[in-house]
Amino acid sequence: MKFTDFFDEEYIHFRSSFMVRIDEYPHKNLMKKSSRYQEIYKKREDLFRDFEFIVDLTENRIPKKESYDRKDIEALMNFFEYSTIINDYERLELYKLGIHDCMVMLEIVDIL
């Protein structure tokens, strides 16, 4: 039996829908099911709206301001904290998705 590496260039058409699913699933699922995730996500979005320099930093643009006050620094600290929490939630969802997909594949090949 020949091993097929689906990450080879010739399989990019197959891989693209798979990758989109992986990229979008955690956020969509958590927005539906987790009020804590929704709350943290909204707080982070509020920081984007209220502190333009954070958007500049995350998009690799030079911020317009020359100096920052305590409120700006606290907002940036909160942004990092919220981003870390969001990332942890989404990584856990990816882990659960991987386990689910693995179990499905094991059932398909009649191991389970």
Side-chain angles (χ1 to χ4, degrees):
M1 178 178 195
K2 181 183 173 232
F3 173 75
T4 303
D5 184 358
F6 290 111
F7 290 97
D8 278 347
E9 211 44 46
E10 67 184 282
Y11 295 104
I12 197 161
H13 65 281
F14 172 76
R15 188 173 73 225
S16 63
S17 62
F18 175 72
M19 296 307 274
V20 167
R21 175 176 175 244
I22 288 175
D23 285 344
E24 293 177 354
Y25 175 82
H27 174 71
K28 286 182 179 178
N29 192 44
L30 287 164
M31 286 303 275
K32 281 192 257 177
K33 295 183 178 180
S34 173
S35 59
R36 172 93 167 115
Y37 178 86
Q38 292 169 13
E39 174 189 336
I40 297 294
Y41 192 84
K42 183 186 179 317
K43 286 180 180 181
R44 189 180 73 168
E45 292 301 304
D46 290 345
L47 290 173
F48 271 132
R49 185 191 67 239
D50 297 338
F51 296 90
E52 186 179 342
F53 81 95
I54 293 176
V55 176
D56 290 339
L57 291 172
T58 60
E59 294 183 3
N60 292 327
R61 295 189 307 238
I62 296 174
K64 295 167 189 68
K65 292 174 73 171
E66 291 292 322
S67 63
Y68 301 93
D69 58 21
R70 183 177 189 84
K71 184 179 176 184
D72 292 334
I73 300 304
E74 287 175 356
L76 186 59
M77 289 171 49
N78 287 333
F79 172 80
F80 286 136
E81 179 184 353
Y82 300 151
S83 294
T84 300
I85 294 168
I86 288 168
N87 188 39
D88 290 347
Y89 269 95
E90 290 176 354
R91 286 174 48 175
L92 181 58
E93 285 301 301
L94 281 173
Y95 179 75
K96 294 188 308 190
L97 179 63
I99 290 172
H100 172 267
D101 288 355
C102 182
M103 299 304 281
V104 168
M105 292 301 269
L106 289 173
E107 286 181 2
I108 288 172
V109 295
D110 203 28
I111 292 179
L112 287 181

